[in-house]
Amino acid sequence: MAVELDVFVGNTTIMDEEVYQLWLDGYTVNDAVKVRMAGGVLDECEANQDVLLSDTMDQYRTFQMCERLLQSPAKLANQLLFQIPPHRQTMLIERYYAFDDAFVREVLGKKLSKGTKKDLDDIGAKTGVTLKSCRRQFDNFKRVFKVVEELKGPLVENIRQHFLLSDKLARDYAAIVFFANNRFETGKKKLQYLTFQDFAFCAGQLINNWTVGAVDNMAEDMDVDLDKEFLQELKELKVLITDKDLLDQHKSLVCTALRGKTKAFTEMEANFKNLSRGLVNIATKLTNTKDVRDFFIDLVEKFIEPCRSDRWTSADVKLYLTHYTNSAHILDSFKHQAVWDRYMGVIKSCIFKMYHD
Amino acid sequence: MPGKLKAKIVAGRHLPVMDRASDLTDAFVEVKFGNTTFKTDVFPKSLNPQWNSEWFKFEVDDEDLQDEPLQITVLDHDTYSANDAIGKVYIDIDPLLCAEAASVISGWFPIYDTIHGIRGEINVLVKVELFNDLNRFRQSSCGVKFLCTTSIPRGYRAAMVHGFVEELVVNEDPEYQWIDRIRTPRASNEARQRLISLMSGELQRKIGLKVLEMGGNAVVGYLQCFDLEGESGLVVRAIGTACTLEKHSSGSLVNTHTHPNTAPASNACNSPSKDGKEPVFGEDLPSSSGPPTPFRILPTSSFSPPPFSPSKPCSRQSSSSDTDLSLTPKTGMGSGGSAGKEAGPLKTLLRQQTQTALEQREFPFFTLTSFPPGFLVHVGGVVSARSVKLLDRIHNPDEPETRDAWWEEIRQEIKSHAKALGCHAVVGYSENTSICEEVCILSASGTATILNPRYMREGCLDIGSTDHRFDDPSPPSCGFCHIPYDELNMPFPAQLTYCYNCRRQKVPDVLFTTIDLPAEAAVTGKGCLIQARLCRLKKKAQGEVNATAISNLLPFMEYELHTQLMNKLKLRSMNALFGLHIQISVGENMLLGLASATGVYLTALPAPGGIQIAGKTSGDLNNEQHIQSIQKRINDTIAKNKELHQINPPELTEEGVGSPIPEPRHRSRLFRSHSESSDEVSELDLSHGKKDAFVLEIDDTDAVEDIHSLLIDASPPTGFYTCNTETMPGIYNWTTAVQMFTSVRVLRLSNANLSNQSLNKIFTDLCENLLKSFYFKLRSNIPCCLCHLNFTVAVPEEELIQVSVTAVAMTFDQDQTQERFITKGGNETEEQLQFPLELCADSSSTNTQTSSKFSGVPENTIVSSRVFLNRSQKPHSVLFFSVCLFFCVLYVFCSLLLFLLLLLCIFGCGLRACVFYFIFCARVLCARVFSPAASVDYGSFADRCSTWLELLRLKAHTIRRGSVKTISSLENCSPLTEGRPRSLRSSRSFGGSSVTMVKMTPLSFLPGTRIIKYLGIINMFFIRETTSLREEGGVSGFLHSFIAEVFAMVRAHVAALGGNAVVSYSMKDCVLMENPNKNQAQCLINVSGDAVICVRETDQEPMTSMTNIGQSCTADGAT
């Protein structure tokens, strides 16, 4: 006796959120049945394993049929095949585009290419995410990337509209796209302590302040590419470290302001030139694509690590950077105030976010 | 009379990629009607083409309008090779031909391809202009309403029920024509779909003509079926009930057809309207000096000893004084020859009255299953007939005489069975077939009844209920249980007792019917689905040998199914079955039988006894213990079931009263002394001769198996109820949450050498597991009731068993149910509270009745009560004895019939087949006496609702526009180019409202809503085929997506008609053929239902306050 065929179709498509999650997580039908049994659904309804298997199969089939629609969520709303109430549609989409932070941390900044896709099994093994789920997440990144690539207008908004995602998720995707596009290096050992959310925050800062879109909201790729002109202008900041007078003047201004306000004052005073050189050098090198990729490593190596070795607290860092930024305005011979603010604003908030254990 | 059909192709979306190179499609559309074809321009390189075509106009005869579907084909233009078809849409324009239904078809339709399924959508506008408005529907059957609903549709009243209409058309099946060898599967499927669409159009038109001939304007309970006879052809046949429907006009009685949900509300207002009618029927009645209660008859019956109530003929006379029937009472009494029998004159009279009305009809059949109160007077029982035929090639499609003759035969048989039960009409009538190779089993079944003659002639179905109470003074809650046939002339042995409700007339011990439970029936506790399942192996054979083998098996199957049903009924401590449907399906090497019904405990019927187990070999201690343990299990199950279904029959109170419940034998003897007709009595006595009866005897393993299978049926888990009827007794407060579903399961029997027993077990498990699956899947809907559980079995191939189920899960409010049950209590009169409707008038009058009986008939009462005591000392086994005997007699009867018919067939008609018939016992329905109408004018409601709905729509439209505007203003500040983001925005902001939610239900109503418009019948036939079965997820994946596609297409058609729901939905056929080795499968699905617009009941409140506006609207509509 074999069940040759077994289907159950509801006029309103029946979808169990728990099974959906199992499907998204890449469980096979049999594994999903085991998980569900362990979860105790059977006790609820006097069912047996066969019933559970049949139900899981039905749901998996439904999800598979739905997957095509989920890949272009706009279609889900006006397709006719499945009758799904709007709030369920939102849930389906949101969950389908949700990702594991552990996984995305591995892929962040990598080229979303076939090569990376081949490494997914390694990543899966490393992060404990099933290969199937890895593939879905990776394909989601790639799909979003491809669609937004060709669009004008604000990145987050484009993602939100095209994929009908929540604001939070859209921002995360924007970060992923931004990282993938600029190929920021995130995999180095020194950067391992940073979470995806740290990077997502930084990406948000960069998108809002350093891209073309920050000044012109009509340009193509406005939120994906950094503002080339701005990067050129950053070269002008070099004067802060090359001009000996300016450097000393800057140092004395900062030290005056800091004196007595922090325990780490001596270290700050001693390290000022090093730190300032580090930050300004990062700025001047950003015209090189290679150096853009190393942006986060540079931040860590040139600023965060020295501070950490001197046991600065977060408050110290904040205090120092605030005065460091503001003091530049008082420098008479320093003419690049606007560029300086645009640069330091982002650096400041990025470092705040990244300065933790 | 010609008409003009206009079609406009607006746009397409989500088209498939047809050009691999560009990943785009150059789509254009062909619009075809009859032999005329139009084409749109090619819309190059787009998956979302905007054709915005001109209006394509077809000038055609309305005969074609009825027969032909509008055929829309979407193609991909190809410069160098042939254009590739993307898919098709068939639009049935019949709804546009009916004045009251839809006026325009407009919306997105899925583009369907028989090989690839749904491939994108197309937006189409269709209108019809029928010329010569005044004479609009005279010449053709355009405008006849077709409804699948098997009751008088809500919002309408039946001015007249004309009766049975049937028609069948035959044709060659394109799949079996020679050309099929050379054409593509797609072409073949499309030819088939088109042919069936044409045939069903033709069928409807022909039936429509018959209806017009009869003077009707609608077909209710329209049931259309396809017989795929393979080589021998394709038969499309339909049956229905012709009616003259009228929309409720303001001021008239409405809502006679309440479902429990609305019943309480209408209670308050029913008396004034009744009073208004009273003088009309009451003027000839001298004795009716009492207050104008619904039971005006009561004063008379108090001084005339019932059941010999002289007032009955009297009152009837007066009520029918306007017709020629006024003389019938006298002749009836004289010629009946049954004077002295209980209620004899009444019944003869009734019969004669209605006979005159029904006699001229060839078949007094009604496909309806629920009726306005007062329509049914008595029900005789389930009648069914089956016939095994050998299929022959249909030589001349224009003369489908053979098939006609076959059905004619069966219907005649049904008619004669009904007569044998003392009934003149058959309600809840249905027909079906099962075909395997060249053998075909034709079946028909229904419930024999006596109808109220008034409805046949004057036709005022709802208003007429007032006078019904003069015809039959039985309380509506139990009247239908009273036997229609003469007690001494019973067509089968049955145990009769006095009605437990009114104690005035006889009722049988069990009641089987094919109709829905009348809303007014008094029921104790809740009901549940009861199924009997059976497998019988048969030898493979060909031709006549095969047919003979099958017809020899049939009576045994029917008998066993019945025994199972009866046992399961007793096991659940219930005494009546409603919605009984027995399906026997034939395969090459087996026969499958599945009987489904909803069991209930009718308060009026006696309590069922328990089940007793008897061992044949007594003395064996082990055996004895075994039997005892089984007996204990059975008793426990019964007790558990009683609790589960909340069955607390008021037994104690009855015995205290000492009500007259005579034992039949004594009764009959008693009457022998009074009457001359002693011949029948002796016949009856014969059947009651043996006394040592028992239910189940364990003498072999089979019997043990039987008992086990009896106990294997798991009751639904807490929070679930099941039934196969429209509603569940005892549940009233449905919420609006409904979930319709279709489930199909196919089992492959791996072992070739199965015994009947193990096969039975497999089949039973299959059905039980399906139910378990439903419970599990729908657990989030708890508390809920699975209503209209419709099981269909088939043997698609050797060793395959297919079960398909369509049902609806309806959620209800648990707390309120509990409350109701608390108020109900165990007392019999309190039982009436279950129907709050009847509370004010009915329960009090029932009391009066009972008391008057006691005072009026001292003699009978004494005799009866003595007998009652007698009976109470006896064990319950008598009951079962009668059941067994009843079957024995049936047997003899059947085999005789079988033989006779065999002879008849062979010699008479020369048909190579034998026929076999069967009658079941079952009994009567009588309808409610009141018209429970809240005399609110729903007629104008409907109009108001529609105008209101229109308003809403307009509003929605403007809202949508408005929001688009705001978006464009938004775009100014952050300009998003192109329309894409815009559409996205709007779809996002409207939460996917671009697709109308369409509810579907197999029931005739949606809880919590009111149907304000019937838009037309949905009758669709689809074929799907695949040559890449594995890639589509195997058979399950294939069928899953096909069923989903069928749902989608039904919903799209309903939405395009402007509707938001489908009621009376059913999947009539689901024929699946697979060949996994070749990676192929094919499936045919036929669905039907009624497209409707419904509004939430709560939405009416604001409308009642706008009465004036509504009335002016109605006035406008009338002019």
Side-chain angles (χ1 to χ4, degrees):
Chain A
M1 263 58 57
V3 176
E4 180 98 352
L5 178 156
D6 179 17
V7 296
F8 178 102
V9 190
N11 180 37
T12 304
T13 309
I14 293 180
M15 289 171 170
D16 186 314
E17 290 190 32
E18 187 201 345
V19 187
Y20 185 51
Q21 196 55 54
L22 291 171
W23 177 73
L24 288 175
D25 290 344
Y27 283 85
T28 62
V29 174
N30 288 328
D31 289 345
V33 169
K34 277 178 205 149
V35 174
R36 294 183 80 189
M37 274 169 73
V41 240
L42 287 184
D43 311 330
E44 271 177 47
C45 216
E46 302 168 29
N48 55 28
Q49 196 176 343
D50 291 342
V51 168
L52 207 53
L53 181 68
S54 142
D55 178 58
T56 313
M57 293 276 273
D58 265 322
Q59 305 245 12
Y60 266 54
R61 264 200 308 272
T62 311
F63 299 141
Q64 267 152 29
M65 283 192 262
C66 260
E67 190 163 17
R68 188 179 51 83
L69 297 165
L70 287 166
Q71 288 169 0
S72 44
K75 274 189 192 168
L76 193 66
N78 56 17
Q79 52 85 33
L80 303 174
L81 189 56
F82 299 102
Q83 182 157 276
I84 307 168
H87 68 277
R88 302 284 287 176
Q89 290 181 13
T90 318
M91 184 277 293
L92 289 177
I93 295 168
E94 197 75 6
R95 292 257 189 111
Y96 189 78
Y97 282 91
F99 48 77
D100 294 309
D101 277 1
F103 172 78
V104 74
R105 185 64 190 77
E106 294 296 319
V107 189
L108 200 62
K110 281 190 181 142
K111 200 174 172 189
L112 299 175
S113 63
K114 282 200 176 120
T116 318
K117 199 171 178 181
K118 274 178 195 150
D119 300 334
L120 286 183
D121 40 0
D122 293 339
I123 298 175
K126 190 176 165 192
T127 55
V129 179
T130 58
L131 183 60
K132 209 174 152 244
S133 179
C134 287
R135 290 222 173 102
R136 171 182 59 83
Q137 296 180 35
F138 185 80
D139 288 341
N140 282 344
F141 299 156
K142 208 170 155 182
R143 195 174 319 110
V144 173
F145 184 88
K146 266 194 147 177
V147 168
V148 216
E149 214 176 20
E150 299 160 1
L151 289 177
K152 293 171 183 174
L155 183 60
V156 178
E157 191 57 15
N158 278 344
I159 293 173
R160 208 176 62 78
Q161 278 175 27
H162 251 94
F163 293 92
L164 310 177
L165 300 176
S166 66
D167 199 53
K168 167 83 177 65
L169 203 53
R171 279 177 200 287
D172 285 350
Y173 268 94
I176 294 165
V177 169
F178 185 73
F179 267 72
N181 189 57
N182 290 295
R183 311 272 303 282
F184 287 109
E185 178 60 67
T186 63
K188 285 273 156 53
K189 200 163 179 225
K190 281 177 182 166
L191 296 177
Q192 283 308 315
Y193 80 99
L194 291 169
T195 66
F196 168 71
Q197 285 310 327
D198 293 336
F199 283 118
F201 175 82
C202 298
Q205 289 296 316
L206 266 68
I207 292 170
N208 286 334
N209 298 297
W210 286 7
T211 58
V212 191
V215 283
D216 172 10
N217 57 13
M218 270 304 291
E220 195 144 333
D221 284 343
M222 57 178 235
D223 281 348
V224 188
D225 293 339
L226 295 174
D227 185 354
K228 288 266 158 44
E229 277 178 44
F230 167 66
L231 297 182
Q232 279 299 330
E233 284 167 8
L234 282 178
K235 283 191 183 299
E236 312 286 341
L237 299 179
K238 203 159 189 158
V239 69
L240 278 176
I241 47 169
T242 47
D243 187 326
K244 191 88 172 59
D245 290 347
L246 214 55
L247 185 63
D248 288 336
Q249 214 179 336
H250 194 190
K251 183 183 173 181
S252 67
L253 279 171
V254 174
C255 288
T256 323
L258 286 175
R259 195 184 307 271
K261 286 185 182 160
T262 169
K263 284 177 184 167
F265 176 72
T266 40
E267 290 87 351
M268 284 183 186
E269 193 174 25
N271 270 334
F272 179 84
K273 285 187 181 172
N274 259 339
L275 293 175
S276 185
R277 243 179 237 128
L279 288 180
V280 175
N281 273 330
I282 293 175
T284 51
K285 285 196 299 179
L286 280 178
T287 39
N288 282 330
T289 339
K290 170 80 181 65
D291 290 308
V292 171
R293 287 184 195 169
D294 288 340
F295 176 70
F296 291 100
I297 296 188
D298 288 344
L299 274 187
V300 170
E301 283 180 347
K302 300 280 161 56
F303 191 89
I304 293 172
E305 281 185 344
C307 297
R308 207 182 278 153
S309 63
D310 288 342
R311 295 172 189 277
W312 293 20
T313 62
S314 302
D316 292 338
V317 174
K318 200 165 190 169
L319 193 70
Y320 175 81
L321 282 176
T322 314
H323 287 290
Y324 177 72
T325 313
N326 293 342
S327 303
H329 293 298
I330 314 168
L331 298 171
D332 294 332
S333 51
F334 185 61
K335 303 290 179 220
H336 312 285
Q337 305 291 356
V339 181
W340 176 250
D341 274 349
R342 191 173 170 189
Y343 176 68
M344 277 314 289
V346 171
I347 293 290
K348 221 163 56 178
S349 39
C350 284
I351 289 177
F352 291 162
K353 188 77 187 171
M354 290 162 73
Y355 197 80
H356 63 80
D357 295 326
Chain B
M1 182 186 48
K4 194 189 269 178
L5 171 70
K6 304 197 293 176
K8 183 185 173 112
I9 308 298
V10 184
R13 68 183 181 196
H14 308 159
L15 293 190
V17 170
M18 298 300 282
D19 180 5
R20 285 272 150 236
S22 67
D23 266 2
L24 288 167
T25 298
D26 306 319
F28 71 99
V29 183
E30 274 182 14
V31 187
K32 190 177 172 195
F33 190 83
N35 294 319
T36 321
T37 310
F38 293 103
K39 280 183 193 174
T40 66
D41 297 333
V42 175
F43 194 93
K45 308 223 174 297
S46 170
L47 299 182
N48 300 291
Q50 304 285 322
W51 292 289
N52 238 325
S53 78
E54 55 184 305
W55 283 98
F56 300 120
K57 297 185 184 90
F58 301 89
E59 285 171 357
V60 276
D61 276 348
D62 48 3
E63 188 181 307
D64 289 338
L65 281 174
Q66 284 193 283
D67 288 6
E68 297 262 355
L70 180 68
Q71 188 180 324
I72 293 165
T73 315
V74 186
L75 297 117
D76 175 52
H77 176 75
D78 210 325
T79 321
Y80 304 108
S81 58
N83 298 329
D84 295 321
I86 296 173
K88 288 194 179 211
V89 180
Y90 292 94
I91 300 178
D92 180 13
I93 46 171
D94 219 43
L96 295 181
L97 304 179
C98 193
E100 294 160 49
S103 56
V104 65
I105 296 176
S106 160
W108 289 98
F109 291 88
I111 302 168
Y112 180 72
D113 178 70
T114 59
I115 307 293
H116 294 104
I118 291 178
R119 305 170 97 189
E121 288 125 34
I122 184 168
N123 196 318
V124 183
L125 257 165
V126 186
K127 281 182 184 172
V128 170
E129 273 172 36
L130 282 173
F131 298 156
N132 197 354
D133 257 13
L134 275 177
N135 198 20
R136 205 153 146 178
F137 307 125
R138 292 292 145 81
Q139 300 291 310
S140 75
S141 65
C142 279
V144 173
K145 257 181 181 299
F146 283 83
L147 292 159
C148 296
T149 302
T150 56
S151 55
I152 301 302
R154 277 142 231 270
Y156 285 89
R157 57 184 217 91
M160 178 100 167
V161 179
H162 302 280
F164 189 63
V165 278
E166 49 80 30
E167 187 63 76
L168 68 81
V169 286
V170 298
N171 212 316
E172 264 188 281
D173 192 338
E175 188 101 337
Y176 294 89
Q177 286 165 345
W178 66 269
I179 194 167
D180 208 62
R181 288 162 208 265
I182 54 166
R183 63 181 166 192
T184 61
R186 176 181 282 121
S188 160
N189 291 339
E190 280 171 6
R192 231 170 155 193
Q193 278 190 178
R194 199 180 121 73
L195 177 73
I196 287 181
S197 181
L198 268 172
M199 284 169 80
S200 53
E202 186 190 338
L203 196 70
Q204 270 193 36
R205 181 173 54 80
K206 284 185 170 171
I207 285 198
L209 281 170
K210 286 189 175 180
V211 173
L212 290 177
E213 246 167 60
M214 292 166 113
N217 65 1
V219 183
V220 185
Y222 185 69
L223 178 80
Q224 184 188 291
C225 293
F226 299 93
D227 296 333
L228 300 166
E229 296 184 351
E231 288 278 326
S232 47
L234 188 65
V235 177
V236 185
R237 57 192 164 77
I239 54 174
T241 307
C243 295
T244 305
L245 292 183
E246 278 172 16
K247 262 205 157 165
H248 279 304
S249 50
S250 54
S252 78
L253 290 178
V254 225
N255 209 7
T256 51
H257 208 84
T258 45
H259 65 85
N261 223 9
T262 54
S266 54
N267 180 29
C269 315
N270 61 354
S271 40
S273 52
K274 234 177 285 156
D275 284 347
K277 303 255 149 57
E278 206 73 27
V280 184
F281 305 106
E283 51 194 359
D284 297 350
L285 200 75
S287 56
S288 60
S289 52
T293 59
F295 279 89
R296 270 197 125 176
I297 189 80
L298 288 178
T300 31
S301 52
S302 62
F303 59 73
S304 56
F308 307 94
S309 162
S311 71
K312 284 174 196 161
C314 169
S315 63
R316 207 166 35 259
Q317 222 168 343
S318 58
S319 65
S320 56
S321 56
D322 49 336
T323 64
D324 54 332
L325 287 174
S326 52
L327 280 176
T328 38
K330 278 177 200 162
T331 52
M333 291 229 254
S335 62
S338 51
K341 281 187 212 165
E342 179 198 21
L346 165 74
K347 274 163 191 159
T348 330
L349 201 76
L350 259 177
R351 214 163 292 144
Q352 289 205 351
Q353 270 189 354
T354 23
Q355 249 162 20
T356 45
L358 286 163
E359 231 156 41
Q360 58 263 46
R361 281 172 213 165
E362 196 183 2
F363 297 113
F365 296 170
F366 301 87
T367 52
L368 307 178
T369 58
S370 61
F371 305 89
F375 189 81
L376 294 173
V377 179
H378 293 297
V379 178
V382 170
V383 284
S384 83
R386 282 181 215 283
S387 148
V388 183
K389 298 288 185 189
L390 276 177
L391 296 172
D392 209 353
R393 183 172 277 277
I394 299 168
H395 295 291
N396 184 0
D398 292 331
E399 290 179 13
E401 279 154 349
T402 329
R403 304 303 189 272
D404 265 340
W406 288 356
W407 287 110
E408 168 101 19
E409 238 172 57
I410 287 205
R411 288 171 195 146
Q412 284 297 353
E413 202 50 41
I414 290 273
K415 194 179 169 185
S416 69
H417 289 340
K419 256 188 194 146
L421 287 175
C423 298
H424 56 79
V426 176
V427 296
Y429 179 75
S430 66
E431 295 175 346
N432 60 59
T433 56
S434 168
I435 297 169
C436 176
E437 306 277 302
E438 49 181 359
V439 177
C440 171
I441 302 181
L442 312 181
S443 324
S445 68
T447 308
T449 50
I450 291 178
L451 302 178
N452 190 333
R454 194 151 286 274
Y455 301 113
M456 300 302 119
R457 28 193 79 247
E458 288 154 45
C460 304
L461 269 187
D462 38 5
I463 299 171
S465 53
T466 336
D467 81 283
H468 162 67
R469 71 186 60 120
F470 296 106
D471 287 320
D472 185 56
S474 328
S477 54
C478 68
F480 66 91
C481 308
H482 304 162
I483 52 162
Y485 34 81
D486 289 336
E487 191 188 348
L488 299 182
N489 222 348
M490 288 200 295
F492 47 79
Q495 184 153 10
L496 302 180
T497 51
Y498 269 117
C499 173
Y500 273 57
N501 199 33
C502 66
R503 292 161 204 284
R504 299 187 51 187
Q505 294 194 34
K506 293 292 188 64
V507 292
D509 50 350
V510 282
L511 177 63
F512 285 14
T513 72
T514 58
I515 54 174
D516 277 323
L517 180 70
E520 60 272 21
V523 177
T524 305
K526 294 199 168 96
C528 77
L529 180 79
I530 290 178
Q531 280 194 323
R533 301 128 181 164
L534 192 66
C535 269
R536 277 285 165 271
L537 289 165
K538 78 170 185 65
K539 286 202 179 92
K540 270 195 229 176
Q542 295 290 312
E544 274 175 75
V545 185
N546 196 18
T548 317
I550 291 170
S551 37
N552 285 342
L553 267 174
L554 283 177
F556 294 93
M557 292 193 65
E558 298 247 21
Y559 172 76
E560 253 183 74
L561 284 172
H562 243 250
T563 317
Q564 266 191 45
L565 277 179
M566 198 66 95
N567 287 337
K568 288 184 177 178
L569 191 67
K570 303 249 181 252
L571 199 66
R572 283 172 181 78
S573 194
M574 294 174 179
N575 56 19
L577 288 180
F578 287 90
L580 177 66
H581 179 78
I582 300 181
Q583 198 199 353
I584 290 190
S585 200
V586 59
E588 262 183 76
N589 59 347
M590 66 174 127
L591 285 169
L592 284 182
L594 181 69
S596 310
T598 302
V600 292
Y601 185 104
L602 286 176
T603 317
L605 264 51
I611 295 176
Q612 281 192 341
I613 305 289
K616 202 166 194 181
T617 48
S618 55
D620 187 349
L621 201 69
N622 262 342
N623 204 18
E624 206 87 317
Q625 275 175 346
H626 181 60
I627 287 169
Q628 270 171 14
S629 75
I630 294 178
Q631 180 74 58
K632 189 174 177 304
R633 270 179 69 196
I634 286 184
N635 290 345
D636 289 349
T637 317
I638 292 178
K640 204 185 86 197
N641 278 326
K642 268 191 176 180
E643 199 179 322
L644 193 72
H645 302 111
Q646 293 158 321
I647 295 169
N648 320 300
E651 274 167 312
L652 282 174
T653 40
E654 272 170 43
E655 291 189 20
V657 173
S659 53
I661 302 159
E663 200 268 334
R665 193 153 52 100
H666 288 253
R667 290 292 302 171
S668 60
R669 283 197 180 138
L670 183 81
F671 277 109
R672 186 155 44 165
S673 61
H674 283 273
S675 69
E676 281 77 45
S677 52
S678 49
D679 297 352
E680 284 104 335
V681 177
S682 60
E683 213 177 275
L684 262 184
D685 259 348
L686 196 84
S687 59
H688 284 270
K690 294 177 195 166
K691 285 181 180 173
D692 49 344
F694 51 83
V695 195
L696 295 169
E697 182 180 296
I698 304 185
D699 49 358
D700 56 6
T701 45
D702 280 12
V704 176
E705 288 287 334
D706 283 346
I707 291 167
H708 278 300
S709 69
L710 202 64
L711 288 165
I712 217 167
D713 280 12
S715 38
T718 349
F720 274 108
Y721 293 94
T722 50
C723 65
N724 75 335
T725 47
E726 288 253 312
T727 46
M728 181 74 160
I731 301 178
Y732 301 94
N733 33 333
W734 304 108
T735 65
T736 49
V738 292
Q739 170 67 52
M740 191 280 289
F741 60 88
T742 290
S743 182
V744 182
R745 213 172 261 200
V746 176
L747 206 68
R748 184 175 288 281
L749 308 167
S750 47
N751 190 350
N753 300 319
L754 284 164
S755 67
N756 273 334
Q757 291 296 341
S758 51
L759 213 55
N760 274 344
K761 173 100 171 59
I762 290 165
F763 184 39
T764 305
D765 286 348
L766 176 59
C767 295
E768 285 289 318
N769 287 338
L770 259 174
L771 284 169
K772 275 183 199 156
S773 265
F774 301 158
Y775 301 144
F776 182 74
K777 280 201 185 278
L778 300 161
R779 64 192 185 286
S780 61
N781 298 26
I782 284 178
C784 87
C785 179
L786 304 183
C787 292
H788 216 285
L789 270 166
N790 184 12
F791 279 67
T792 316
V793 288
V795 191
E797 264 175 57
E798 208 180 321
E799 287 168 8
L800 286 187
I801 300 179
Q802 177 187 325
V803 180
S804 3
V805 187
T806 299
V808 63
M810 301 216 291
T811 313
F812 60 92
D813 206 334
Q814 183 93 59
D815 302 335
Q816 284 179 39
T817 326
Q818 297 288 335
E819 265 170 47
R820 269 176 206 267
F821 270 96
I822 292 161
T823 49
K824 217 179 72 182
N827 187 292
E828 191 190 357
T829 38
E830 271 176 21
E831 208 63 52
Q832 304 281 345
L833 286 173
Q834 199 175 347
F835 301 90
L837 223 184
E838 290 139 18
L839 216 151
C840 54
D842 185 26
S843 56
S844 57
S845 52
T846 317
N847 283 342
T848 341
Q849 243 183 331
T850 334
S851 59
S852 71
K853 189 194 306 173
F854 291 137
S855 60
V857 214
E859 196 192 342
N860 270 3
T861 320
I862 291 163
V863 172
S864 308
S865 55
R866 178 162 47 80
V867 175
F868 175 68
L869 282 174
N870 240 353
R871 179 187 173 270
S872 60
Q873 284 153 6
K874 283 188 181 178
H876 286 301
S877 59
V878 182
L879 276 170
F880 303 109
F881 160 64
S882 89
V883 171
C884 292
L885 242 157
F886 148 52
F887 276 110
C888 295
V889 170
L890 265 179
Y891 245 149
V892 178
F893 179 47
C894 289
S895 30
L896 264 172
L897 252 173
L898 183 77
F899 182 68
L900 267 170
L901 285 161
L902 247 168
L903 287 178
L904 240 167
C905 288
I906 292 165
F907 299 111
C909 329
L911 290 172
R912 293 179 298 149
C914 43
V915 193
F916 134 83
Y917 304 92
F918 207 69
I919 315 179
F920 297 154
C921 74
R923 351 302 135 120
V924 188
L925 276 183
C926 180
R928 171 168 41 196
V929 175
F930 313 92
S931 43
S935 55
V936 191
D937 49 341
Y938 289 120
S940 55
F941 251 175
D943 286 82
R944 253 176 284 141
C945 287
S946 57
T947 46
W948 177 75
L949 206 82
E950 229 107 88
L951 249 164
L952 256 188
R953 258 200 221 152
L954 270 175
K955 253 187 202 166
H957 202 65
T958 41
I959 288 169
R960 201 166 307 172
R961 276 207 195 137
S963 66
V964 170
K965 266 179 206 156
T966 50
I967 285 159
S968 55
S969 63
L970 244 176
E971 277 164 21
N972 286 338
C973 40
S974 69
L976 303 164
T977 43
E978 293 174 12
R980 224 168 359 159
R982 189 187 309 167
S983 68
L984 273 173
R985 242 178 226 265
S986 55
S987 73
R988 171 80 176 181
S989 55
F990 282 95
S993 65
S994 53
V995 179
T996 328
M997 286 293 261
V998 176
K999 287 189 174 182
M1000 286 162 78
T1001 175
L1003 308 178
S1004 64
F1005 66 95
L1006 277 162
T1009 63
R1010 174 162 298 279
I1011 294 168
I1012 57 165
K1013 198 170 187 184
Y1014 284 84
L1015 296 166
I1017 194 168
I1018 297 283
N1019 192 351
M1020 296 163 104
F1021 177 87
F1022 298 104
I1023 302 177
R1024 180 88 149 78
E1025 188 166 344
T1026 184
T1027 47
S1028 51
L1029 191 59
R1030 271 187 296 278
E1031 293 78 356
E1032 292 196 34
V1035 237
S1036 293
F1038 170 68
L1039 191 64
H1040 192 138
S1041 54
F1042 185 34
I1043 293 176
E1045 282 167 352
V1046 169
F1047 284 178
M1049 285 183 278
V1050 170
R1051 286 193 303 256
H1053 276 80
V1054 172
L1057 287 169
N1060 59 6
V1062 185
V1063 294
S1064 300
Y1065 170 84
S1066 72
M1067 185 170 83
K1068 299 221 197 73
D1069 284 295
C1070 177
V1071 186
L1072 180 76
M1073 285 152 285
E1074 48 158 339
N1075 191 341
N1077 296 332
K1078 281 189 179 172
N1079 207 15
Q1080 285 176 342
Q1082 192 193 34
C1083 186
L1084 295 82
I1085 287 184
N1086 175 217
V1087 294
S1088 65
D1090 295 325
V1092 299
I1093 303 176
C1094 57
V1095 290
R1096 280 190 174 238
E1097 233 150 37
T1098 46
D1099 290 346
Q1100 287 173 2
E1101 259 72 26
M1103 277 181 290
T1104 29
S1105 58
M1106 323 190 296
T1107 319
N1108 289 331
I1109 307 163
Q1111 272 164 352
S1112 62
C1113 280
T1114 334
D1116 288 349
T1119 50

